[in-house]
Structure formats: C-alpha cells, structure tokens
C-alpha cells in the first residue's frame, strides 16, 4: 500500500465545495473520479479540511492510499490531463503511511481578498469581494490584533455548526494592501491573511465580515475584545462572501 | 449631441470578439444593448480597434454620440449594473465632438502573458498561454530588439488579412518576468509588451509566437531581421493563442 499526497489548486466558483454532495459537482468528487479513471481503482481522498461552495484553494492538501505502483509524477501529469481546467494538481508525492492530510496538519492559512474601489473588475469577479465603500486599513489592523492568540472563537463560528470545542489559536493575522501586478495601478485590493491551528465553520469569513464593519467605522476596533467575550455569534459582523476566500497554506 | 467616451475592461473568454457577428455574443453587441436599455435610444459604439475572440482588454476605449443628457458618471453606474460581470466600464466621460476612438488614437499597447512552468494554473486558465517548455528570456529579448522601430510587418500579418499598408512603427517592445503577487512564488509568468502606432491582423500574436520559437531555440534570435525582410507570413513562427493577449493601453 502506498500513501500519495497531492497539492491542489482550484477555482471554487463552479463547485459546491470540497465535500461530496449528491448531484452537485464537488472538488473531492471530481478528483476521485479522475483518480478512479487513471488507477482503475476506487480511492477515498482525505483533505486537510473542507472548503465551502465558492471558496478557492491555492494550496489544498489531500492524500489517498492505493495499491497502484504508478510513479507520483506520472500520476500528476495524468490527473492534470483528465481534470477540468479549474482544478490543478501542483504536486504529487509519496508520503509515509502515517501521513494524514487533516490530522497531521499543524496549522492552516487563509487569505481573503477585498476589491476596494469604486468599480468592479472583469478579471476578479468570483475571486475577490467587491466592496466599494471607503475602509480604514489602520482600524482594521488594530481590531485584528485583538484576535491574535488563543481565544474562544464561538462568536465567529456559524451558530448552527454544533462545534463543541471553539477554542483556537490564531498564530498570525494581517491586513495589507496589495497591488495586482498584471494590471498595475488599476486595482486596489486588501488582503486579510489568517493562520490558525484550526478554523471553526465560517470563522475566517466571519472575522473578515467583522473587520469590514470596523474598517467602515460601524463598530469600534476595540469592540473585538468584547465580541470575543460574549461568545455569541450575533455580536460579530456578517459573514463575508465565499468568493473572496482562498486556502493558501497547510503546515505539517 | 454629446460624444461619450468609455474606458472598458473585459474578460474576452466568453465572446466572439469586439465586433458584432450575428448569433454570437460580442463585446460591442453586449454594451450597445445595455446602452439602448438605459438610453432608450439606439447607439453605435466605435472602439479603438477590434479585439479577436478570446482576447482581453484591461483598457479598451470606445465612444458613441447621444442626444441623452444623462451625466457620464451616472451612465457608468447604470451600465455596470446592467452589463454582465465580465465587462466593466471603468470610466465614462464626455469628450469633444471631434474625438474618435479609432482615428484619434496615436498608439496602442498589448500585453501577452505566458505561463511558463511545468503545470497549469486554475486561476490563469483562459488568461495566459500555458507553455511548459524551458525558455531563454535573454534570447527573446535579443530577438525583440530587431522588431523595434518602423518596419514592414507583412511577415507578421495574417496572410488572409488583405492589408495594403503593412508598415507600422513599434515604439516599445519588452519581455519581462512577472511575479503574480496574490500567489507569490507560485507562478512563473512572462509578459511580452508591445506598443505600436497600429497593429496588423494577428500581428501581436504572431510576434509572440515567433519569440517563443526563439526562446525555445528553434530559431535564432538574429533571424528576426531576415523574417522581416522576407515579407512572407510563412517565415515567421505560429500564431500564439488569443487567451494570453490583453489590450492594455490606448494613447491619444
């Protein structure tokens, strides 16, 4: 038996998310079907974590075990030939049998892109949240600082998630402006990057939705402390849309 | 009568090009339909030049005359509300009645993007030419230098174009590597930028196709001089695909 680790990039716009849901195209289902075609064997793909409908990945990790002797590089090429253009295997390599994409992960990082200008972009549709209102990056940064470290993030967890342990550690959170180099001078993008030892359901998007309320001066940057303490989802801001969110790193 | 100038960004992937062709969605047709809806008047849109099927624009310019008194900024917002997401009006302003998007243009610039790495990208599909072979940027630069200036570009003009005057002046041509900032370290992109007082049919894509043959060492960088002199399309390289090409600037 071999354990194959895949690194995957996908544009989530056309999918119902990572996880298989009957009758809807999912990333997992699509890759499993491609693997079955190539390996002539049914395999079960385990990801570092599920991504929701519309969420993207620059770096998702998944693994599966197989009896096949196909070299990993050859498998990568075969997968990319079979998969649709919006899913790309950026690396395939053999891992130890004890490697588990989810349980072995020490932390994951997400990036959220906000297109903060007066008009939208033809090229960033479905890839950034178009938010035309003036934002104070400084206030967003101040607010983000309160979230760093180990906290009970229940206020940022989808209320229907049913998670028992809502304590997570945010190792890094940053708010920065980036210039889109292909189209220099044209796009004003803000990126929120969050690295944590784990993410609750909708946690990244709820944090971003709250930081946007701060940036727009609807809530004070200091209230983040209070919002954490209430442990009540309704005290935080709205959930930012899925299409601005990218899984960008999984650390093992 | 007022003359309205529009600056337009579009993702060309879903269109048959700028120009109206019956039964196929074109950029021109789509914007004219939106204008008609808003202005309740049939208008004719004149662009700085046509773009082919699949070609993108970060900065296309078009103008039309109207009897309507609608303020330009209000028209921009209304257009963006009506247009599909892959066409965005980035600016609308009133121009003098003597302004003509095509005849008034002094030069135009195109950028061609090449994704030069071993695997494709889910996010750059339809937006860059995936070219996995090793390329010498230095040789491509050397070759490009021969094209700078005023030349007869017949060898780079589609043979069926029927153009009479094939003399154009390339004001600037550059070959550079760019790093995609959103996904730093992940993509290796090469950009070819060409600014000229005019472009023959397929000229930009034929130049890029030839530079790629040079970069791959299939033809010598010095042969560009000879290719120009033959005035024969068959002496140059193949036509690079449309989906890597962007109209990025029109100078008036």
């Amino acid at each position: 038996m071999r354990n194959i680790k895949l690194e995957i990039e996908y544009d989530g716009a056309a999918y119902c998310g990572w996880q298989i849901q009957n009758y809807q195209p999912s990333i997992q289902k699509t890759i499993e079907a491609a693997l079955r075609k190539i390996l002539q064997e049914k395999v079960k793909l385990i990801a570092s974590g599920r991504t929701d409908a519309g969420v993207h990945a620059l770096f998702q990790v998944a693994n599966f075990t197989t009896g096949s002797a196909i070299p990993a590089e050859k498998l990568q090429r075969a997968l990319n030939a079979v998969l649709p253009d919006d899913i790309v295997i950026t690396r395939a390599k053999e891992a130890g049998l004890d490697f588990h994409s989810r349980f072995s992960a020490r932390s994951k990082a997400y990036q959220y892109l906000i297109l903060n200008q007066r008009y939208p972009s033809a090229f960033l549709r479905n890839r950034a949240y178009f938010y035309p209102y003036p934002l104070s990056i400084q206030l967003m940064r101040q607010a983000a600082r309160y979230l760093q470290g180990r906290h009970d993030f229940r206020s940022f967890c989808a209320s229907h998630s049913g998670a028992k342990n809502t304590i997570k550690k945010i190792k890094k959170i940053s708010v920065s402006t980036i210039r889109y180099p292909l189209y220099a001078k044209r796009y004003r993008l803000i990126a929120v990057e969050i690295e944590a030892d784990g993410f609750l359901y909708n946690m990244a998007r709820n944090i971003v939705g709250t930081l946007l309320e701060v940036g727009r001066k609807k809530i004070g940057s200091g209230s983040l402390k209070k919002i954490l303490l209430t442990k009540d989802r309704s005290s935080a801001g709205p959930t930012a849309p899925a299409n601005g969110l990218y899984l960008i790193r999984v650390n093992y």
Side-chain angles (χ1 to χ4, degrees), chain A:
Chain A
M1 216 58 180
R2 294 159 70 221
N3 191 7
I4 307 284
K5 177 187 175 192
L6 302 177
E7 292 174 6
I8 312 161
E9 172 181 316
Y10 51 80
D11 177 342
Y15 297 90
C16 68
W18 172 267
Q19 204 182 21
I20 289 176
Q21 299 194 16
N22 285 332
Y23 312 115
Q24 277 188 287
S26 79
I27 312 284
Q28 182 185 358
K29 195 181 198 168
T30 307
I31 303 176
E32 285 187 354
L35 282 168
R36 192 170 188 169
K37 200 166 165 179
I38 294 161
L39 303 173
Q40 303 284 318
E41 174 194 5
K42 199 175 170 178
V43 301
K44 192 174 152 50
L45 206 53
I46 299 161
S48 71
R50 300 168 193 166
T51 51
D52 280 342
V55 172
H56 313 293
L58 291 168
F59 188 94
Q60 169 67 287
V61 175
N63 71 294
F64 64 93
T65 53
T66 175
S68 160
I70 187 170
E73 264 210 45
K74 199 172 163 188
L75 177 69
Q76 180 188 0
R77 277 197 302 277
L79 276 171
N80 285 335
V82 169
L83 285 169
D85 286 353
D86 50 5
I87 302 179
V88 174
I89 308 300
T90 55
R91 199 175 179 201
K93 66 176 282 202
E94 201 162 334
L97 279 173
D98 58 339
F99 175 79
H100 186 288
S101 299
R102 183 148 60 100
F103 299 144
S104 309
R106 284 188 300 109
S107 70
K108 288 196 292 182
Y110 282 95
Q111 184 184 55
Y112 195 96
L113 292 183
I114 300 149
L115 181 63
N116 186 225
Q117 55 184 33
R118 281 188 309 118
Y119 46 83
S121 157
F123 296 98
L124 293 171
R125 68 185 199 283
N126 293 328
R127 299 190 183 174
Y129 178 25
F130 172 53
Y131 197 84
Y133 315 103
L135 285 172
S136 162
I137 306 245
Q138 217 185 335
L139 289 177
M140 290 171 75
R141 280 193 185 131
Q142 276 174 24
R145 246 176 260 140
Y146 289 101
L147 300 176
Q148 186 124 16
R150 185 176 302 278
H151 301 285
D152 188 333
F153 284 98
R154 187 170 295 275
S155 300
F156 295 95
C157 177
S159 44
H160 59 279
S161 93
K164 272 167 200 151
N165 177 12
T166 48
I167 293 170
K168 299 287 172 194
K169 183 181 178 185
I170 290 189
K171 299 184 171 189
K172 193 195 145 193
I173 178 165
S174 66
V175 181
S176 46
T177 52
I178 46 176
R179 314 195 91 202
Y180 213 99
L182 300 183
Y183 326 121
K185 286 182 239 157
R186 295 179 58 85
Y187 298 130
R188 187 183 142 85
L189 279 164
I190 297 170
V192 179
E193 194 177 322
I194 309 170
E195 185 188 342
D197 59 358
F199 286 84
L200 299 164
Y201 190 60
N202 275 357
M203 178 170 144
R205 289 163 59 192
N206 290 340
I207 287 176
V208 171
T210 308
L211 291 180
L212 285 170
E213 298 280 278
V214 171
R216 222 178 144 182
K217 301 183 184 169
K218 287 192 167 184
I219 50 177
S221 61
S223 22
L224 269 285
K225 210 173 164 177
K226 259 181 291 173
I227 293 172
L228 279 172
L229 291 174
T230 61
K231 297 178 194 175
D232 175 8
R233 172 69 190 95
S234 68
S235 67
T239 308
N243 63 18
L245 190 63
Y246 297 73
L247 175 59
I248 59 167
R249 218 167 36 245
V250 187
N251 299 312
Y252 290 99

